[in-house]
Amino acid sequence: MKKNKIFSMALVLAFGAGAAFTSCVDTDSSLVDFNPQLNSPNDTVYSLLGIMNKMQVIADRTIILGEIRGELSSATEAATTDLKELADFTATTDNRYNAPEDYYAIIQNCNYYIAHADTMLSLRGEKVFIREYAAVKAFRAWTYLQLAIYYGKVPFFTEPLMTEVEADPSRYPFYDVKQVCEYFIPDLEPYVETDFPLAGNDRYFIPVRVLLGDLCLWAGRYREAAQYYHDYLTHPDKPLAPAGNMEAYWGNYEFKSHSSSYSSTTDLAGIRMETSEYDGVVSRLGDVLNSTEDNRYYFEMTSSQSLLELSQAQRYVMVYTDPTTNLRDTISPGENTIYNDSRERGDLRLCSNVRTTYTASRDDYSEDFQTVVRFPVTSNSSFLSEIPLYRLSSIYLRMAEAYNRAGLPESAFAILKYGLSDGTVSKYVSADEQKRAGNLLTWSPYNFITQDMSSTSTTTVNTEGIHSYGCGESYADTLYVIPEGLATHEDSILFVEDKICDEMALEQSFLGQRFGDLQRIALRRDDTDFLARKIAGRAGKDSFNTELYGRLSDRSNWYLPLE
């Protein structure tokens, strides 16, 4: 590895216009000079904003690396060579998306801030900079986690690099994802109750409690991960019930038209982007995923055949009340149902999220037109104002993953099928599992209320299973169950984990989570084939990519090369 690729960039502390301190950098010299103190509100706030600006640089890449390297998306013919290489796992150090120095620039800035911020300065008994300090620690831990996911083992340092001698990667250990997590779990624990800085902009910071859940999940500390997710979602000051998210549903019993709904709580945290190039870093993701005037409608990524097949394999269920008998039953689209779009079969999230049309003879423009609803562009601008990092449903799915691996598969499956409430637990979770779960199955009964087939009342329902977001009223689906007669408790855990993995695919497509999810499950199972087979099958069951499968059967090829 050459130090001038990663570490020379990390030496440059440029917090942006209005920064409270600057660096006088000469990469040929042995020393970089800084104002060593961060002891005024202007210093710390401007420095924090500078770190947030550097997060903008890797925002698009966070989505692209996590998405195109999974099995849910495919590169189109119009895609750049760099994007196609990512999809094929043949990217070199010259690939435009392979720029670890951008991540290390964030880390270097965070390290400097943490080393120099005056955390003991107090005003009226309150530490003045503790909120900013906690936010910076979260940015650093999150950034290292991304590096470990995409590069495997990475140089690890937590002090700012101040000289060329210090910027020698051979001086530092290489940490894998578990080592990164084990370091940052105790580093972040003291700040789990610390509020966000910059009131009114909470969504632009990483929730420490959720990040601790992620770190514990990757580290295999499942009970702890489950507790962090549970405590975040059921916090008495801000309970977050899983309802009213991006949901797609049929509007009538004839299955002729469908709609979708969206809640402001769907995305909980993200990276704020500039909407004008004049103001700073803008997102180009809209031109990669959507048809725009700038790309002449030639989008570079689209949903894969594998995702389509998974979506079509789902069963949509609607509760039907007979108007004459007032008895309730369930109905689903029949085998002979005619759809306007083949993607309407099964789960409705795909066709609601990825909208496509075809128009012949568009002159110099692509005849295919695509809009990814989660990343909308307008006629005025193709720049996105925010890149999502944490979605409410994604946190519930990770909580389900943690519950399941903590030995609570019934509780985990309830998150998918019913949503969690006192009524759900008492009816669908065994007494033995309830006892083992303890406070993981406690929350306010006033904030978490779930529909039940025995009741026709929906006026107080505010909680539903994640599977319902695209498959109707999943609580009533008699086929969507944990099979009876599985030989062992471990068999139940593996079955539920497969269902969680499928639900992650259906719910999180185009959110940049997929490669990490597949890698985490494969590493947990010590099953290279799990990841290799899924990604090699992205073109569908009839187009298995044996060359890609062979490449991914070697775990070293999962990761981008470092230079």
Side-chain angles (χ1 to χ4, degrees):
M1 184 196 307
K2 301 176 183 177
K3 72 177 182 180
N4 63 344
K5 172 82 171 184
I6 296 175
F7 285 82
S8 64
M9 284 292 293
L11 280 172
V12 183
L13 285 174
F15 282 92
F21 59 87
T22 61
S23 60
C24 304
V25 179
D26 176 0
T27 55
D28 292 327
S29 73
S30 61
L31 182 65
V32 184
D33 296 321
F34 301 98
N35 175 359
Q37 299 301 317
L38 293 176
N39 52 16
S40 76
N42 282 346
D43 285 351
T44 56
V45 171
Y46 288 158
S47 300
L48 173 61
L49 292 174
I51 292 170
M52 295 171 72
N53 287 341
K54 289 191 176 299
M55 289 284 289
Q56 294 175 330
V57 177
I58 54 92
D60 285 3
R61 206 176 316 159
T62 298
I63 302 297
I64 290 172
L65 290 179
E67 197 61 36
I68 198 63
R69 289 162 63 80
E71 90 282 26
L72 308 180
S73 300
S74 297
T76 67
E77 291 185 3
T80 63
T81 300
D82 288 329
L83 200 63
K84 291 176 180 177
E85 287 177 351
L86 287 180
D88 291 337
F89 289 78
T90 58
T92 67
T93 55
D94 294 327
N95 190 288
R96 61 175 292 198
Y97 296 105
N98 184 10
E101 63 269 21
D102 294 334
Y103 293 86
Y104 277 105
I106 297 170
I107 290 166
Q108 169 75 330
N109 278 267
C110 290
N111 285 346
Y112 188 89
Y113 186 103
I114 291 165
H116 292 87
D118 185 357
T119 57
M120 302 311 295
L121 183 65
S122 297
L123 180 64
R124 291 188 290 273
E126 181 180 349
K127 293 182 178 179
V128 175
F129 304 131
I130 195 64
R131 296 185 181 189
E132 290 82 1
Y133 189 78
V136 170
K137 284 213 162 192
F139 282 134
R140 181 176 68 171
W142 180 87
T143 303
Y144 260 124
L145 179 59
Q146 308 315 303
L147 276 172
I149 290 170
Y150 294 112
Y151 291 92
K153 291 186 175 183
V154 295
F156 189 84
F157 58 97
T158 56
E159 294 294 328
L161 308 181
M162 306 300 290
T163 68
E164 285 291 322
V165 173
E166 291 174 350
D168 178 357
S170 66
R171 295 168 58 94
Y172 305 101
F174 277 62
Y175 276 18
D176 62 19
V177 68
K178 187 170 183 179
Q179 291 170 307
V180 165
C181 294
E182 292 290 0
Y183 177 88
F184 285 114
I185 290 169
D187 188 63
L188 289 177
E189 282 174 338
Y191 309 100
V192 71
E193 295 287 357
T194 304
D195 290 335
F196 293 119
L198 304 179
N201 295 282
D202 290 3
R203 64 185 296 112
Y204 301 131
F205 296 97
I206 295 171
V208 171
R209 206 175 240 114
V210 176
L211 181 56
L212 278 165
D214 291 351
L215 296 171
C216 287
L217 193 62
W218 277 96
R221 296 162 60 166
Y222 302 118
R223 183 84 187 199
E224 293 172 76
Q227 193 72 62
Y228 282 123
Y229 293 133
H230 168 275
D231 292 352
Y232 175 79
L233 294 168
T234 65
H235 198 284
D237 294 339
K238 190 178 181 181
L240 294 165
N245 282 258
M246 181 72 83
E247 184 174 0
Y249 50 89
W250 288 108
N252 52 57
Y253 297 134
E254 290 77 29
F255 305 104
K256 295 297 184 183
S257 63
H258 59 83
S259 304
S260 59
S261 61
Y262 183 84
S263 168
S264 60
T265 62
T266 298
D267 295 324
L268 297 176
I271 301 174
R272 183 190 63 81
M273 305 300 294
E274 307 299 341
T275 54
S276 166
E277 292 178 280
Y278 177 81
D279 295 324
V281 180
V282 296
S283 171
R284 305 284 179 178
L285 194 60
D287 287 331
V288 174
L289 298 176
N290 297 299
S291 297
T292 68
E293 290 287 337
D294 289 341
N295 65 20
R296 305 179 75 83
Y297 300 169
Y298 285 99
F299 50 93
E300 298 182 53
M301 290 173 59
T302 191
S303 54
S304 69
Q305 179 67 22
S306 174
L307 177 56
L308 175 62
E309 291 173 1
L310 175 64
S311 181
Q312 290 179 332
Q314 306 308 304
R315 180 174 183 243
Y316 190 97
V317 168
M318 183 182 292
V319 174
Y320 172 76
T321 302
D322 190 298
T324 57
T325 65
N326 205 36
L327 296 177
R328 307 181 83 201
D329 199 354
T330 59
I331 58 175
S332 297
E335 288 296 321
N336 297 322
T337 300
I338 299 175
Y339 300 97
N340 294 324
D341 184 337
S342 64
R343 297 172 304 161
E344 293 175 329
R345 182 182 301 278
D347 193 296
L348 286 176
R349 280 170 284 193
L350 176 58
C351 65
S352 296
N353 183 39
V354 184
R355 298 176 182 174
T356 59
T357 58
Y358 174 83
T359 303
S361 303
R362 270 194 174 133
D363 297 327
D364 294 333
Y365 285 71
S366 170
E367 295 176 342
D368 293 307
F369 190 96
Q370 174 175 286
T371 298
V372 177
V373 176
R374 287 169 177 164
F375 296 97
V377 296
T378 67
S379 57
N380 296 324
S381 175
S382 61
F383 301 140
L384 305 172
S385 61
E386 182 178 323
I387 300 300
L389 295 182
Y390 284 99
R391 194 177 183 87
L392 179 58
S393 56
S394 300
I395 299 173
Y396 269 98
L397 287 169
R398 291 179 202 173
M399 184 169 77
E401 184 183 346
Y403 273 41
N404 187 51
R405 280 293 171 170
L408 307 172
E410 296 169 21
S411 305
F413 193 73
I415 294 171
L416 303 186
K417 182 169 182 174
Y418 303 105
L420 290 175
S421 68
D422 289 346
T424 296
V425 170
S426 62
K427 190 170 183 178
Y428 301 110
V429 179
S430 66
D432 176 63
E433 181 159 314
Q434 289 183 51
K435 182 178 180 181
R436 286 185 284 110
N439 71 343
L440 290 176
L441 294 180
T442 61
W443 42 73
S444 167
Y446 305 105
N447 293 317
F448 295 86
I449 307 167
T450 308
Q451 175 66 291
D452 191 286
M453 270 293 283
S454 62
S455 171
T456 58
S457 173
T458 60
T459 56
T460 58
V461 172
N462 70 340
T463 304
E464 61 184 336
I466 305 300
H467 197 59
S468 296
Y469 290 0
C471 291
E473 292 158 299
S474 62
Y475 67 88
D477 189 347
T478 57
L479 300 182
Y480 190 68
V481 295
I482 301 176
E484 294 182 5
L486 292 174
T488 66
H489 187 60
E490 180 65 21
D491 288 335
S492 295
I493 290 173
L494 289 173
F495 174 86
V496 172
E497 189 163 77
D498 285 338
K499 288 299 182 183
I500 293 170
C501 184
D502 287 347
E503 197 62 35
M504 287 174 165
L506 296 165
E507 175 62 18
Q508 298 179 157
S509 62
F510 290 99
L511 292 179
Q513 304 294 329
R514 190 55 173 176
F515 179 73
D517 291 340
L518 294 180
Q519 182 190 148
R520 188 171 59 251
I521 295 173
L523 292 175
R524 173 186 304 138
R525 296 182 178 185
D526 193 22
D527 184 1
T528 302
D529 197 64
F530 175 85
L531 179 144
R533 188 162 293 279
K534 279 190 177 291
I535 296 177
R538 69 158 67 102
K541 60 181 181 295
D542 296 328
S543 301
F544 189 78
N545 188 332
T546 55
E547 181 181 354
L548 182 57
Y549 174 76
R551 190 174 300 131
L552 294 174
S553 295
D554 179 351
R555 290 191 189 182
S556 66
N557 291 325
W558 293 5
Y559 306 109
L560 292 168
L562 278 170
E563 181 180 275

